[in-house]
């Protein structure tokens, strides 16, 4: 039942970005912006900065239009104009972890893998171009972002947290911004539904 929040400092590749994180947290608390609205706004912000969306939320990527409609249903204009760092692979995921209450994270099992562990695991994995990769509890998509593949349609992720799923989709759309695709990231409990999910 802990109501503490913790900034995951170890997740930053550039410690100077903690300043931007603190600005976001101050704004969110002072304006009483809920977490879903905050994350939707940051996702839209990053998609606009990446050139995938225009400021009126129109885009040329047909595959993601439904996803864009979902996240534009709830956003805060102030967060759309903030200058966010472009040297963090998963800045929105770090913000999300900083905003979640410790008790909520415990209940959901929402603790993201640090980058150095991901790098270590990938040092022993070689994915062939025609092979698929699955992360059954993908969170904001850090493992999938580090997969060395030119075809993002080979990447699959599942998570029970709808907000984390939206972050993972945003991260992959930005990483593969020249590909018109909707990431294969699903809000489902892979451990309960298992491989049957992949056959749908």
């Amino acid at each position: 039942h802990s109501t503490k929040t913790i900034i995951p400092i170890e997740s930053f590749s550039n410690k100077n970005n903690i300043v931007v994180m603190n600005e976001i947290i101050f704004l969110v608390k002072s304006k009483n912006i809920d977490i879903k609205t905050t994350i939707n706004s940051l996702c839209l912000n990053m998609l606009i900065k990446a050139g995938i969306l225009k400021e009126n939320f129109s885009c040329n990527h047909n595959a993601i239009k439904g996803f864009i409609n979902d996240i534009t249903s709830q956003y805060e204009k102030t967060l759309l104009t903030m200058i966010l760092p472009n040297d963090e692979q998963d800045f929105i995921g770090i913000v999300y972890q900083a905003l979640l209450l410790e008790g909520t994270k415990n209940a959901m099992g929402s603790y993201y893998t640090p980058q150095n562990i991901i790098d270590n695991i990938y040092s022993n994995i070689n994915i062939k171009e025609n092979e698929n990769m699955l992360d059954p509890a993908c969170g904001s998509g850090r493992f999938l972002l580090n997969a060395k593949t030119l075809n993002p349609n080979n990447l699959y992720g599942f998570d029970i947290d709808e907000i984390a799923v939206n972050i993972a989709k945003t991260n992959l759309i930005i990483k593969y911004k020249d590909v018109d695709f909707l990431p294969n990231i699903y809000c489902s409990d892979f451990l309960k539904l298992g491989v049957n999910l992949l056959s749908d």
Side-chain angles (χ1 to χ4, degrees):
H1 299 286
S2 173
T3 57
K4 290 191 300 185
T5 55
I6 300 169
I7 293 178
I9 294 171
E10 71 283 353
S11 296
F12 285 96
S13 59
N14 180 351
K15 302 297 186 216
N16 294 327
N17 293 329
I18 295 171
V19 174
V20 182
M21 161 79 70
N22 286 331
E23 289 173 6
I24 291 170
I25 291 171
F26 176 79
L27 177 66
V28 166
K29 288 183 177 177
S30 65
K31 293 188 83 171
N32 199 26
I33 307 169
D34 66 86
I35 290 179
K36 183 174 182 180
T37 300
T38 299
I39 298 305
N40 283 357
S41 305
L42 296 177
C43 288
L44 291 167
N45 181 321
M46 296 284 263
L47 290 165
I48 290 168
K49 299 294 186 299
I52 295 162
L53 285 184
K54 295 184 178 152
E55 290 189 12
N56 65 358
F57 304 138
S58 65
C59 69
N60 294 326
H61 288 57
N62 291 322
I64 65 168
K65 286 185 177 175
F67 169 64
I68 299 303
N69 287 339
D70 287 345
I71 62 174
T72 55
S73 65
Q74 196 172 335
Y75 67 92
E76 165 62 44
K77 287 184 181 178
T78 312
L79 291 167
L80 287 180
T81 58
M82 285 192 82
I83 297 172
L84 304 179
N86 57 10
D87 58 350
E88 294 289 349
Q89 190 177 41
D90 183 29
F91 182 73
I92 305 171
I94 299 171
V95 171
Y96 185 43
Q97 285 292 295
L99 291 173
L100 281 177
L101 300 179
E102 194 174 46
T104 303
K105 284 197 260 192
N106 283 335
M108 292 192 312
S110 179
Y111 288 94
Y112 291 1
T113 308
Q115 188 63 42
N116 63 327
I117 294 174
I118 294 171
D119 292 341
N120 187 36
I121 290 170
Y122 269 112
S123 69
N124 297 315
I125 296 175
N126 290 316
I127 301 169
K128 295 183 178 133
E129 199 52 46
N130 61 345
E131 290 180 326
N132 293 328
M133 180 182 172
L134 165 70
D135 185 344
C138 68
S140 57
R142 288 186 187 174
F143 273 102
L144 298 173
L145 284 170
N146 285 270
K148 293 176 174 61
T149 180
L150 298 175
N151 184 0
N153 290 303
N154 291 345
L155 304 174
Y156 291 84
F158 294 86
D159 203 279
I160 58 171
D161 183 347
E162 179 188 3
I163 295 173
V165 164
N166 286 343
I167 299 170
K169 285 181 181 180
T170 300
N171 284 337
L172 287 168
I173 289 166
I174 291 170
K175 179 176 180 180
Y176 297 97
K177 64 182 182 178
D178 296 326
V179 181
D180 186 3
F181 83 111
L182 179 64
N184 300 309
I185 310 292
Y186 304 99
C187 188
S188 295
D189 187 338
F190 186 82
L191 298 177
K192 286 184 180 173
L193 300 175
V195 294
N196 293 332
L197 284 169
L198 293 175
S199 62
D200 292 343

